[in-house]
Amino acid sequence: MPDTGSSRRGERTRQRLLDAAERLFAEKGFYGVTVRAIAKASDSDPALVAYYFGGKRELFDAVLLRRAEKLNKIRIERLEACEREAGPAGPSVEDIIEAFTEPLLDRSSHGGPGWKSYFALIGQVTNSPEWGAAVMAKYFDPIVHRFLDALKKALPDAPEEELYWSYHFLSGALVLTFAETGRVDSLSGGQCRSTDLVAVHERLPQFIAAGFKRLAERRTIETEDRDAAE
Amino acid sequence: MPDTGSSRRGERTRQRLLDAAERLFAEKGFYGVTVRAIAKASDSDPALVAYYFGGKRELFDAVLLRRAEKLNKIRIERLEACEREAGPAGPSVEDIIEAFTEPLLDRSSHGGPGWKSYFALIGQVTNSPEWGAAVMAKYFDPIVHRFLDALKKALPDAPEEELYWSYHFLSGALVLTFAETGRVDSLSGGQCRSTDLVAVHERLPQFIAAGFKRLAERRTIETEDRDAAE
DNA sequence: GTCTATAGCTTGATAGAC
DNA sequence: GTCTATCAAGCTATAGAC
């Protein structure tokens, strides 16, 4: 039975495997990486993947889980702080979106290469028909629902459907940012850089908040009837 | 030398290989699919992949190219029609974005399973650090630059940088839509469906246009100076 | 054009030495 | 805990029959 915490040496090996797997999976996806490549990159051994995780697939899950746990804790605190600091009217849509995205952009920028790879991996998995729905639901459903609840308060007249579609667009914009493919660099002739997450942090909440507000103005038939009766 | 057009039978086989590869690559990515699986799914033979395309990688490129050619032609016509039909003030931001996205959403919805798979594949490739920048630049740079030129006319005071970042957010929202992962379905408890591209078509141009307009209001230092001097 | 056969590697997993 | 050795299976690519 693998020892996942008590032994110093074993735990360090386990973390090295996770680090190498994180980086390689982020670059080439689950099928694009071999257990041998992960072992080599971590100065370890293929057999230790089975020893610590059971197999390649379980290692992949462990990579996704490791930072999701820390991240969800941080993001809940960040959202609660945002609500606490807001006036009686509650936080603005911009504030809520910034509370949602800033912990991610901040860690991808300043958290070191592990966080950078982790978010790039999330960017790939999110857009994968094979893993997208299940993985994202497993690791991020609670925080997304809390975030949507905050937005329902900031946009009380918005039909729920519009909030879900708005979140979908936000999610797409955010995870493409994580991928840092360099596409915006070449498209803009170097005026913008994929790695410049400060630029994204300055723009994404504004861009997305404007979109949320726009869709919030759409009306369901029931909402129109109610407004007309007022 | 493979015969890519003159023979009826050979061309049909080639198309069957492309169809099967398109579907499988869209589901599991380049490395998640074997030449054998493609041959089996197309009732064909692994050796024919080499015969018609040279190898697995070249087949992948051929899949990407096949519909990109048709698509670029259609999209240029659509954008020109949009500009022609607009009044002297030119098309609105909403009109331009709809001209950009509608040909894609329409074919994914009503073009048959091949188009659906193709866009799902684009959704995966776009977010891949390995392929994203190069593939998208190769197949879509001309149409994206035309689209951005139209937006520069509609938003003449917007700093170019803001348009590039706005396009980046649009791209992310669009390609996550193509992936149709089912994430929005479970998140919304069934209120929204990933496959409902009509719902996206009704919302995406509004959402994104609001974002473009918001970022267009941002000012560079040079722009502020110029405005102050007026 | 199509397919069989196969070369030559690489894969994920594991048994067992230390 | 770590690593060597190895297995059975699967991989891409290709030579050559038809």
Side-chain angles (χ1 to χ4, degrees), chain A:
Chain A
M1 202 60 179
D3 185 339
T4 57
S6 60
S7 158
R8 263 173 278 287
R9 190 143 125 79
E11 178 58 18
R12 284 204 55 217
T13 302
R14 206 184 98 99
Q15 293 296 331
R16 284 210 323 280
L17 281 167
L18 283 168
D19 291 340
E22 186 169 61
R23 181 170 65 81
L24 293 171
F25 284 144
E27 287 170 8
K28 308 183 67 170
F30 179 75
Y31 301 108
V33 179
T34 66
V35 171
R36 287 169 145 83
I38 295 165
K40 193 167 192 177
S42 60
D43 273 314
S44 174
D45 192 278
L48 295 179
V49 170
Y51 177 72
Y52 283 109
F53 302 98
K56 183 186 177 183
R57 180 53 212 268
E58 289 85 354
L59 170 57
F60 186 70
D61 288 337
V63 166
L64 290 172
L65 181 62
R66 180 170 57 155
R67 297 189 199 269
E69 289 176 325
K70 302 179 198 176
L71 209 49
N72 284 333
K73 193 168 165 335
I74 292 160
R75 294 176 86 187
I76 286 171
E77 285 168 10
R78 180 75 174 76
L79 189 57
E80 284 173 352
C82 165
E83 289 177 326
R84 209 164 42 236
E85 287 161 20
S92 68
V93 177
E94 281 81 354
D95 288 342
I96 296 166
I97 293 166
E98 189 176 328
F100 185 74
T101 59
E102 192 264 347
L104 313 181
L105 294 171
D106 180 59
R107 266 152 202 82
S108 188
S109 282
H110 310 116
W115 280 104
K116 176 126 310 198
S117 292
Y118 177 74
F119 287 117
L121 178 56
I122 293 294
Q124 286 208 61
V125 167
T126 301
N127 278 36
S128 151
E130 192 180 11
W131 320 101
V135 167
M136 297 307 284
K138 180 172 177 188
Y139 298 111
F140 298 112
D141 258 12
I143 187 72
V144 173
H145 279 121
R146 285 192 78 127
F147 167 70
L148 286 168
D149 286 343
L151 281 165
K152 280 175 201 170
K153 285 179 199 150
L155 294 166
D157 295 328
E160 280 207 337
E161 206 181 342
E162 306 303 329
L163 296 180
Y164 290 117
W165 280 119
S166 294
Y167 171 75
H168 166 80
F169 299 142
L170 160 57
S171 179
L174 187 61
V175 300
L176 176 56
T177 300
F178 291 154
E180 293 189 18
T181 62
R183 166 88 171 126
V184 79
D185 308 46
S186 66
L187 199 60
S188 69
Q191 281 187 73
C192 306
R193 281 161 298 118
S194 286
T195 53
D196 183 5
L197 300 191
V198 172
V200 174
H201 175 244
E202 285 172 2
R203 290 166 176 84
L204 184 70
Q206 293 178 23
F207 186 98
I208 296 296
F212 265 90
K213 289 176 191 173
R214 176 67 167 270
L215 292 197
E217 290 165 11
R218 289 172 58 93
R219 285 289 181 277
T220 58
I221 291 165
E222 302 86 59
T223 320
E224 278 171 14
D225 290 349
R226 198 182 59 213
D227 284 0
E230 270 171 11

